[in-house]
Amino acid sequence: MSNSPEAAEPSLYERLGGVYSIADVVDDFIDRIMDDPQLNANPKVDEAHHRVSRAGFKYLVTEMVCWATGGPQQYTGRSMKDSHQDLDITAAEWQVFLNDFQQTLDKFDVPDAERQELFAIVDSTKADIVIG
Ligand code: HEM
């Protein structure tokens, strides 16, 4: 058929390997940020990191990344603004967070194209997370 559609471009979710691969990456990254002394130097972040369950936090972030990359999951947690606005996260802390993210992506050998798309997604949330 001359009109048959081209095969659809695989979503970022599919290119990352779906929920099992994404959950592995989130597992490493959340351990990294929850244990990062530079982030826990912010007393509000330190308090929240020790109040919430690590497994629950990983669950919500996995859900969110799957949803944001085009997977079938729905994100059921609070908005980025609601969950971060009282934490007083500075631009310097945001850089530390991005550096931790980079280290996780290095560990899992995430290719450049996928890495850039993930950074674009992360960057799109900055205004809701960092104090202005
Ligand atoms: C793209 C960037 C980020 C994403 C996608 C993200 C994602 C999330 C999600 C899904 C939650 C759970 C929301 C809920 O409880 O319903 C959360 C909470 C939290 N995030 Fe982030 N986050 C980001 C950046 C940051 C940064 C830079 C920090 C600073 C270290 C941070 C620290 C926290 C803390 C401490 C909580 C727990 C808040 C509480 O329950 O009181 N997050 N985040």
Side-chain angles (χ1 to χ4, degrees), residues 16-33:
L16 291 171
V19 63
Y20 286 106
S21 304
I22 290 172
D24 263 353
V25 169
V26 170
D27 183 37
D28 180 89
F29 179 52
I30 296 299
D31 281 342
R32 222 177 268 280
I33 65 161

Side-chain angles (χ1 to χ4, degrees), residues 65-131:
V65 175
C66 288
W67 164 78
T69 56
Q73 294 79 0
Q74 291 288 319
Y75 173 60
T76 59
R78 292 183 291 156
S79 74
M80 290 301 94
K81 204 177 180 75
D82 284 351
S83 51
H84 299 88
Q85 65 183 353
D86 295 330
L87 298 175
D88 296 341
I89 295 168
T90 64
E93 288 162 350
W94 179 257
Q95 286 308 319
V96 172
F97 171 89
L98 289 183
N99 188 49
D100 285 342
F101 190 44
Q102 183 90 46
Q103 287 181 36
T104 291
L105 298 178
D106 285 348
K107 176 173 169 180
F108 288 89
D109 285 330
V110 175
D112 275 349
E114 283 71 26
R115 206 177 267 249
Q116 281 175 27
E117 289 178 58
L118 285 170
F119 271 110
I121 292 171
V122 169
D123 199 53
S124 72
T125 67
K126 184 179 176 189
D128 284 339
I129 292 176
V130 173
I131 49 175

Side-chain angles (χ1 to χ4, degrees), residues 43-57:
K44 293 185 176 177
V45 168
D46 191 36
E47 187 278 327
H49 274 161
H50 290 96
R51 174 166 38 78
V52 301
S53 118
R54 196 171 279 239
F57 195 27

